[in-house]
C-alpha cells in the first residue's frame, strides 16, 4: 500500500465518525492555541514594561534609601542611617564634583484619592518634586503649563496630571484651571503631561505631579525622600555619573565604608535586566500551563484511537486474512492519529494567531514565532507518540482472533 492509499484510508476512517474526530481535534486545537496565546501575552507584557522603562531614558539613575524611605529599617544600621533630602538632590548637580550629572530631582511619592465634582478615584502614583524632574525623566508637557521654581518655593497648590488621570477624573472635560482635591487638599490643575503609554498593570500616565514642598507640607510630612532621580550627561557616562553620585552622598552622609551606604543606586539597564529575567520566568510558567492542555489533547487521541481499533477489529482481521502486512495496519492507524494532530494543530495555530490580535487584560500580545513552530511540531509529535500504542495494538492482532471479535 503506497502512502497515498494509506492517507486515503486514514481520511475515510476519520470521516466515518465526524463528531468524534472533530472533538478529538478540538482538544489539540485548544492546546496549541493556548500555548501560542499565553506565550504571546507573556512576551507582550515584557515588551510593554521594557518600553516604559526605556521611555524614561537610558541615562536615568535612581537613588533610593536602603531602608525604603525610613531611617530605622535597615538591619544592623538603625539610627545611623540618614534621610535622603532635597539638599542631597541639589548637591548632585555640582558641576565640579559631578561633571557627568546633567540634572537631579527629589522624588516623594504617595498614593491618594482624587476628588472632582463629588466623584473620587484613586491615583496610583502622586509625585512631589521640582521642575527638573520633568526633563530628568523625559516627561513632556501636553497642555497648559508646568509648575516652576517659584511655585515650589512659594508652596503653591498646583498640580500637573498624567493623561490617564485626566481621563479617569475629568472624562472629556478640559481640566486646565479646574480645582481637584488630592487627599482632601485643594489643588489647581495647571497642566497635562504628554502621553507616554503603558499597560493596565503599569500605566505611567496614571500620575499627578505636585511641588515637593507643597506635598511634604500637606500630604506626606518631612521624612526621607522616596528617591532622587538623576540624569547622566549621556548613556555612555552612566557609570561615571553613578560613581560621582556615590562619592557625593557618602561624603554628605559621613560614610567611610561603601559597604555601609544608606542608599542604593539603580540604572535603567539593571531594571531592564531584572524585568527580562522576571518575564522569562512568567512566560515559561504560562507556556507550561498551556502545554498541559496540549498533553491532555494527546491523551484524547490515544483514547479515541483505542476505541477505533476496538470497533474495527473485524476489519483488521479481514485485511490481514487477505494478505495485508503488519506494516500496512500499523501505518494506517498511525496515519489517522497523525492526521488528527496535524489538522488540530494547524487549526490551533490559526486560532492562537487570531486570538493574539486582541488585548488581554490590558496587554497587547506579541507573538513569538518559535512558539508557533514549536507548538505545531509538538502537536504532530504527540499524534505520532500517543497514536503509536493503539496502532501497534492493531497491527499485533492475529487474524483468527480478530475475525472472532464481536
Amino acid at each position: 500500500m503506497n502512502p497515498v492509499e494509506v492517507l486515503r484510508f486514514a481520511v475515510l476512517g476519520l470521516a466515518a465518525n465526524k463528531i468524534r474526530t472533530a472533538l478529538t481535534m478540538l482538544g489539540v486545537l485548544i492546546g496549541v492555541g493556548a500555548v501560542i496565546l499565553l506565550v504571546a501575552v507573556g512576551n507582550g507584557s515584557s515588551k510593554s514594561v521594557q518600553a516604559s522603562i526605556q521611555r524614561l531614558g537610558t541615562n536615568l539613575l535612581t537613588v533610593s534609601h536602603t531602608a525604603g524611605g525610613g531611617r530605622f529599617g535597615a538591619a544592623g544600621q538603625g539610627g545611623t542611617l540618614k534621610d535622603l533630602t532635597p539638599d542631597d538632590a541639589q548637591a548632585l548637580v555640582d558641576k565640579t564634583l559631578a561633571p557627568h550629572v546633567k540634572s537631579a530631582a527629589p522624588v516623594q511619592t504617595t498614593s491618594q484619592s482624587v476628588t472632582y465634582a463629588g466623584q473620587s478615584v484613586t491615583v496610583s502614583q502622586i509625585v512631589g518634586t521640582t521642575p527638573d524632574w520633568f526633563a530628568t525623566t523625559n516627561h513632556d508637557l501636553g497642555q497648559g503649563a508646568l509648575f516652576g521654581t517659584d511655585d515650589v518655593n512659594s508652596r503653591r497648590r498646583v498640580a500637573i496630571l498624567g493623561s490617564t488621570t485626566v481621563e479617569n477624573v475629568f472624562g472629556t472635560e478640559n481640566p486646565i484651571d479646574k480645582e481637584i482635591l488630592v487627599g482632601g487638599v485643594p489643588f489647581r490643575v495647571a497642566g497635562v503631561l504628554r502621553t507616554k503609554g503603558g499597560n493596565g498593570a503599569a500605566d505611567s500616565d496614571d500620575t499627578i505631579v505636585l511641588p515637593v514642598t507643597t506635598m511634604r507640607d500637606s500630604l506626606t510630612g518631612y521624612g526621607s525622600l522616596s528617591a532622587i532621580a538623576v540624569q547622566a550627561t549621556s548613556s555612555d557616562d552612566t557609570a561615571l555619573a553613578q560613581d560621582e553620585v556615590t562619592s557625593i552622598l557618602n561624603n554628605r552622609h559621613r560614610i567611610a565604608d561603601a559597604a555601609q551606604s544608606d542608599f542604593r543606586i539603580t540604572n535603567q539597564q539593571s531594571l531592564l535586566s531584572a524585568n527580562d529575567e522576571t518575564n522569562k520566568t512568567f512566560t515559561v510558567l504560562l507556556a507550561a500551563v498551556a502545554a498541559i492542555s496540549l498533553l491532555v489533547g494527546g491523551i484524547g487521541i490515544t483514547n479515541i484511537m483505542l476505541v477505533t481499533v476496538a470497533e474495527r477489529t473485524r476489519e483488521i482481521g479481514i485485511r490481514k486474512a487477505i494478505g495485508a502486512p503488519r506494516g500496512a495496519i500499523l501505518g494506517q492507524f498511525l496515519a489517522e492519529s497523525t492526521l488528527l494532530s496535524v489538522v488540530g494543530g494547524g487549526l490551533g495555530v490559526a486560532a492562537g494567531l487570531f486570538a493574539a490580535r486582541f488585548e488581554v487584560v490590558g496587554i497587547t500580545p506579541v507573538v513569538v514565532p518559535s512558539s508557533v513552530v514549536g507548538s505545531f511540531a509538538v502537536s504532530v509529535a504527540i499524534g505520532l507518540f500517543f497514536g503509536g500504542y493503539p496502532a501497534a495494538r492493531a497491527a499485533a492482532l492475529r487474524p483468527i482472533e480478530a475475525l472472532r471479535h464481536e
Side-chain angles (χ1 to χ4, degrees):
M1 186 180 290
N2 60 50
V4 175
E5 288 180 318
V6 171
L7 182 61
R8 185 170 68 83
F9 273 97
V11 172
L12 291 175
L14 294 176
N17 294 284
K18 295 183 178 63
I19 294 179
R20 190 166 68 191
T21 298
L23 291 175
T24 306
M25 288 181 180
L26 182 62
V28 180
L29 183 156
I30 293 173
V32 172
V35 169
I36 294 173
L37 177 61
L38 293 183
V39 171
V41 169
N43 189 40
S45 174
S46 174
K47 298 288 185 188
S48 177
V49 174
Q50 286 182 1
S52 297
I53 294 174
Q54 288 174 339
R55 276 193 291 271
L56 293 175
T58 55
N59 57 343
L60 179 65
L61 301 172
T62 302
V63 183
S64 54
H65 202 278
T66 303
R71 65 174 65 185
F72 301 108
Q77 299 185 63
T80 63
L81 297 178
K82 294 184 181 301
D83 291 338
L84 287 176
T85 65
D87 289 339
D88 287 335
Q90 185 63 37
L92 298 181
V93 294
D94 186 327
K95 290 302 178 187
T96 302
L97 298 176
H100 298 96
V101 172
K102 184 177 181 181
S103 60
V107 177
Q108 189 86 55
T109 59
T110 187
S111 177
Q112 292 283 348
S113 62
V114 177
T115 305
Y116 175 71
Q119 300 294 322
S120 294
V121 299
T122 299
V123 177
S124 59
Q125 179 173 261
I126 297 178
V127 178
T129 187
T130 60
D132 291 331
W133 180 83
F134 300 104
T136 301
T137 57
N138 291 327
H139 281 85
D140 298 324
L141 179 66
Q143 184 183 0
L146 301 176
F147 59 74
T149 303
D150 187 52
D151 295 311
V152 176
N153 294 336
S154 302
R155 290 171 162 72
R156 293 198 178 102
R157 291 178 177 177
V158 292
I160 312 300
L161 275 54
S163 57
T164 298
T165 304
V166 171
E167 183 179 344
N168 292 340
V169 176
F170 293 95
T172 58
E173 187 177 350
N174 185 352
I176 302 300
D177 288 331
K178 299 291 192 307
E179 185 175 280
I180 58 175
L181 297 178
V182 180
V185 179
F187 283 84
R188 179 181 65 83
V189 178
V192 178
L193 297 174
R194 184 173 296 169
T195 301
K196 299 196 74 169
N199 57 42
D203 188 353
S204 60
D205 296 315
D206 186 16
T207 185
I208 295 178
V209 187
L210 309 174
V212 64
T213 49
T214 313
M215 182 167 170
R216 286 158 74 88
D217 276 348
S218 55
L219 295 176
T220 63
Y222 288 85
S224 176
L225 291 173
S226 304
I228 298 175
V230 179
Q231 187 181 41
T233 49
S234 71
S235 299
D236 295 334
D237 294 334
T238 301
L240 293 171
Q242 186 166 337
D243 291 341
E244 292 161 2
V245 169
T246 301
S247 175
I248 292 173
L249 291 182
N250 279 341
N251 287 333
R252 287 182 59 81
H253 292 193
R254 302 182 187 282
I255 297 171
D257 183 359
Q260 298 298 317
S261 293
D262 53 8
F263 60 89
R264 57 177 173 268
I265 303 174
T266 55
N267 57 47
Q268 298 302 84
Q269 191 58 48
S270 64
L271 288 177
L272 285 171
S273 299
N275 171 70
D276 191 44
E277 289 300 319
T278 301
N279 280 285
K280 277 182 181 176
T281 303
F282 177 60
T283 302
V284 168
L285 287 175
L286 288 177
V289 171
I292 292 174
S293 62
L294 190 55
L295 179 64
V296 172
I299 294 172
I301 290 178
T302 301
N303 185 40
I304 292 302
M305 293 308 298
L306 285 173
V307 172
T308 301
V309 170
E311 289 179 346
R312 292 160 63 183
T313 300
R314 287 181 62 84
E315 173 194 330
I316 294 169
I318 293 171
R319 291 187 61 192
K320 297 192 81 170
I322 61 177
R326 178 188 177 99
I329 304 299
L330 182 68
Q332 178 186 342
F333 284 93
L334 268 182
E336 289 187 19
S337 64
T338 305
L339 198 59
L340 281 171
S341 61
V342 168
V343 176
L347 293 173
V349 169
L353 293 177
F354 178 75
R357 296 168 62 90
F358 303 96
E359 284 191 355
V360 178
V361 292
I363 298 172
T364 302
V366 178
V367 174
V368 179
S370 60
S371 72
V372 177
V373 176
S375 59
F376 181 73
V378 169
S379 73
V380 174
I382 280 177
L384 286 169
F385 179 78
F386 285 94
Y389 172 68
R393 187 173 176 178
L397 286 173
R398 296 176 62 187
I400 293 177
E401 293 176 353
L403 290 171
R404 285 176 180 170
H405 183 76
E406 294 296 335

